Amino acid sequence: METDLFPKRFAPLFLSVLAALVSGLFLPTPWALFVFPASVALSLVGLFDIFQARHAVKRNYPIVGRLRWFFEEIRPAIRQYLIEGDHERAPFSRIQRSLVYARAKNQISDRPFGTLVDVYQNGYEFIAHSTRPVPPSDPATFRVAIGGDACRQPYQASIFNISAMSFGALSANAIRALNKGAKLGGFAHDTGEGSISPYHREHGGDLIWEIGSGYFGCRTEDGRFDPARFAERAADPQVRMIELKISQGAKPGKGGILPAEKVSAEIAATRGIPMGRDCISPARHQAFSTPIELMQFIADLRRLSGGKPVGFKLCVGQPWEFMGIVKAMLETGILPDYIVVDGAEGGTGAAPQEFADHLGMPLRESLLFVHNTLVGAGLRNRIRVGAAGKIVSAFDIAVAIALGADWTNAGRGFMFAIGCIQSLSCHTNRCPAGVATQDPVRQRALVVPDKAQRVYHYHRNTLLALSEMIATAGLAHPGEITPHHLVRRVSLTEIRLFSQLHIFLEEGELLDGACERDFYGNAWKLARADSFEVAI
């Protein structure tokens, strides 16, 4: 058997050597001038493959074995453009991306001939329309006031904003385009934990300053929180809200390291870190270690910022920890102005596969859990709730609001608006669209004035679609959407309202300790205000 295989698997190398010998004899004839260098190069490649020690396939199949790596390299693009179905979400479907592209370009996104969705498939969802629809409202009125009793500078936020994406993960031109689009449309741009770069400031769009465990932009030399630096930056009128990041959906509970060689002068200046050293973003905060200390830190941030809205973002994990935070609110009387719920399906530039696939609670479950806990504790009317995690369409916004959100954030949707083609190369610094790269040549392809208009149009047209959609249900404002308006197919012969599918707690239900709902009642008993540990 081995005698039969040997000539076959080494045939490309034998043919290359033979071609080199034969063509060498006929030099300098025209055909030999072409064949000789090519065959010599292939022969050298084949000999190298035989004697290298890293790849068994190339040792056994010199030259031709390299095709394996070539096809692996082009497989994602081939699948996306030639094989992938319109509704396959990997992670966003062709239908979703095409919708964003059309709205960003201000093109008609209407579709002829009827839906392509199987409306009898389990999981199909829709909004129940009314026999008395109302005229669509002006999307400019789709705003929510954020700021509680302790807030002196409340913010009127759009119900659809740009989610946290840092300079460094995104290019300078991407940041410029997003912020200019936010300025044109009057909505907010979250900085991500990489702090406020010069590119966030160029066009003056409203900023939500996200502060992570690295305290970038407001840190001491040893990486601790610096109140004076924070107060100085937070005083900027462009900064409308402060967001403390406890965890994020794509990699909850994990910190990060930006190697020293990637810390450019711009990134060092933006983050307030020294060049020549690794940039460490720890997995946990140093400024607090208990739920009560978290509330006290939020109060400090609000005071140092001059009374601007301060909230926190988290991907829900162990339920008693969030409930412990809520108990700390009740014990201290200190409330965040808002909470952003980041679903486990949220995006990131790079994350370990196990983290992206198997850590954190998905958005719908975590949003409902946060909403219910606040309702059960009697605090929901005093705290606003935002939602982030694969939100790209008007229907996505409606679902999030029905499950308890006051507003929504989108990251990858706005990336599509500025040209992202979902090449899945964010972590390589070779983004073909110039969005997720620090390569100055690649990001030059992203023309800021054009892409800023697309950001503006995507936001405007999505809210226009939402206005028209909820008008059919007889609603004038997204805040009127309830679980009674959304419907889900649960079998071939049965559909149910969201209000029938999900548990919704009553106001103050958790406070008397007599909650009869197993999950909420048991988790509330385990929660502690003085510790993130389980109460025994």
Side-chain angles (χ1 to χ4, degrees), residues 134-373:
V134 300
S137 300
D138 181 0
T141 64
F142 293 175
R143 310 192 78 83
V144 57
I146 303 176
D149 297 337
C151 175
R152 300 202 305 274
Q153 300 184 53
Y155 178 54
Q156 289 287 334
S158 169
I159 64 164
F160 189 43
N161 302 286
I162 301 172
S163 198
M165 295 180 288
S166 300
F167 168 61
L170 298 191
S171 69
N173 278 359
I175 296 294
R176 287 182 174 113
L178 290 170
N179 193 256
K180 186 174 182 180
K183 178 68 173 179
L184 292 171
F187 54 98
H189 179 192
D190 195 311
T191 65
E193 68 174 309
S195 192
I196 307 169
S197 73
Y199 310 109
H200 287 95
R201 299 186 184 279
E202 283 188 20
H203 300 289
D206 290 349
L207 293 178
I208 301 171
W209 182 14
E210 183 178 271
I211 299 171
S213 56
Y215 308 115
F216 300 127
C218 56
R219 59 186 264 147
T220 60
E221 289 187 3
D222 62 352
R224 295 182 177 275
F225 176 71
D226 187 327
R229 288 190 178 183
F230 170 79
E232 180 183 358
R233 285 203 160 190
D236 188 333
Q238 192 180 350
V239 175
R240 307 305 298 269
M241 301 202 301
I242 310 296
E243 181 178 289
L244 183 67
K245 190 189 92 166
I246 297 177
S247 60
Q248 73 179 87
K251 45 185 178 184
K254 181 174 176 60
I257 299 178
L258 188 65
E261 59 270 18
K262 291 187 177 181
V263 180
S264 66
E266 285 183 317
I267 292 176
T270 296
R271 299 194 176 196
I273 57 176
M275 293 187 65
R277 277 197 262 166
D278 292 342
C279 174
I280 308 295
S281 180
R284 58 192 292 177
H285 281 265
Q286 296 179 346
F288 59 88
S289 58
T290 68
I292 288 177
E293 289 177 1
L294 168 59
M295 290 301 104
Q296 293 169 341
F297 187 52
I298 285 175
D300 289 340
L301 294 177
R302 188 185 289 123
R303 173 179 55 81
L304 291 167
S305 68
K308 292 183 177 179
V310 177
F312 63 88
K313 179 179 84 172
L314 85 165
C315 176
V316 177
Q318 296 169 349
W320 55 85
E321 292 188 346
F322 177 75
M323 286 183 161
I325 294 173
V326 174
K327 283 189 174 181
M329 297 177 196
L330 295 170
E331 184 169 323
T332 63
I334 301 170
L335 303 183
D337 296 293
Y338 66 93
I339 298 169
V340 174
V341 181
D342 200 11
E345 63 269 49
T348 184
Q353 184 169 335
E354 291 84 356
F355 277 72
D357 291 347
H358 302 293
L359 270 178
M361 193 180 293
L363 175 61
R364 293 190 180 188
E365 287 77 10
S366 56
L367 176 59
L368 185 60
F369 168 71
V370 167
H371 170 75
N372 268 334
T373 301

Side-chain angles (χ1 to χ4, degrees), residues 9-183:
R9 58 194 176 98
F10 284 94
L13 176 57
F14 290 154
L15 291 174
S16 297
V17 173
L18 181 60
L21 293 173
V22 172
S23 60
L25 296 175
F26 286 89
L27 287 173
T29 58
W31 70 270
L33 288 173
F34 172 76
V35 173
F36 180 72
S39 56
V40 168
L42 286 174
S43 299
L44 292 175
V45 167
L47 291 171
F48 174 80
D49 287 346
I50 288 177
F51 292 106
Q52 58 83 35
R54 292 189 63 188
H55 302 290
V57 172
K58 288 195 289 188
R59 283 170 68 89
N60 273 333
Y61 298 88
I63 302 176
V64 73
R66 290 175 174 267
L67 291 174
R68 173 178 180 269
W69 282 266
F70 170 74
F71 287 122
E72 280 191 346
E73 183 74 18
I74 67 171
R75 177 182 178 274
I78 294 297
R79 183 182 186 278
Q80 178 173 326
Y81 290 110
L82 299 179
I83 301 173
E84 176 185 296
D86 284 346
H87 294 279
E88 290 184 53
R89 302 192 176 199
F92 288 86
S93 70
R94 167 59 61 181
I95 293 292
Q96 289 175 303
R97 300 195 304 272
S98 297
L99 178 67
V100 176
Y101 296 148
R103 287 181 174 163
K105 295 174 184 178
N106 214 22
Q107 297 173 345
I108 296 175
S109 58
D110 296 349
R111 177 181 298 161
F113 219 67
T115 182
L116 299 177
V117 176
D118 181 359
V119 298
Y120 294 98
Q121 183 179 21
N122 285 1
Y124 171 68
E125 295 174 341
F126 60 96
I127 286 183
H129 67 279
S130 170
T131 56
R132 294 177 58 82
V134 300
S137 300
D138 181 0
T141 64
F142 293 175
R143 310 192 78 83
V144 57
I146 303 176
D149 297 337
C151 175
R152 300 202 305 274
Q153 300 184 53
Y155 178 54
Q156 289 287 334
S158 169
I159 64 164
F160 189 43
N161 302 286
I162 301 172
S163 198
M165 295 180 288
S166 300
F167 168 61
L170 298 191
S171 69
N173 278 359
I175 296 294
R176 287 182 174 113
L178 290 170
N179 193 256
K180 186 174 182 180
K183 178 68 173 179

Side-chain angles (χ1 to χ4, degrees), residues 357-489:
D357 291 347
H358 302 293
L359 270 178
M361 193 180 293
L363 175 61
R364 293 190 180 188
E365 287 77 10
S366 56
L367 176 59
L368 185 60
F369 168 71
V370 167
H371 170 75
N372 268 334
T373 301
L374 293 175
V375 170
L379 298 175
R380 182 63 182 89
N381 292 333
R382 300 170 64 187
I383 300 172
R384 296 296 189 185
V385 176
K390 294 192 77 170
I391 293 173
V392 295
S393 72
F395 185 75
D396 296 334
I397 297 173
V399 170
I401 292 175
L403 292 176
D406 293 301
W407 87 91
T408 60
N409 296 334
R412 287 165 291 180
F414 282 102
M415 287 176 66
F416 292 141
I418 60 175
C420 169
I421 62 172
Q422 194 171 278
S423 67
L424 306 183
S425 57
C426 306
H427 60 302
T428 66
N429 204 36
R430 298 195 300 272
C431 171
V435 177
T437 179
Q438 295 303 302
D439 184 330
V441 176
R442 288 179 178 272
Q443 66 174 289
R444 178 182 174 276
L446 197 159
V447 180
V448 173
D450 174 62
K451 296 304 188 286
Q453 286 291 328
R454 294 191 182 192
V455 169
Y456 163 68
H457 289 312
Y458 169 55
H459 177 271
R460 176 178 173 275
N461 289 327
T462 299
L463 292 190
L464 276 172
L466 178 64
S467 175
E468 294 173 349
M469 185 170 61
I470 65 173
T472 67
L475 307 176
H477 190 279
E480 300 173 11
I481 301 172
T482 71
H484 300 288
H485 294 105
L486 274 293
V487 188
R488 181 183 179 91
R489 177 171 293 283

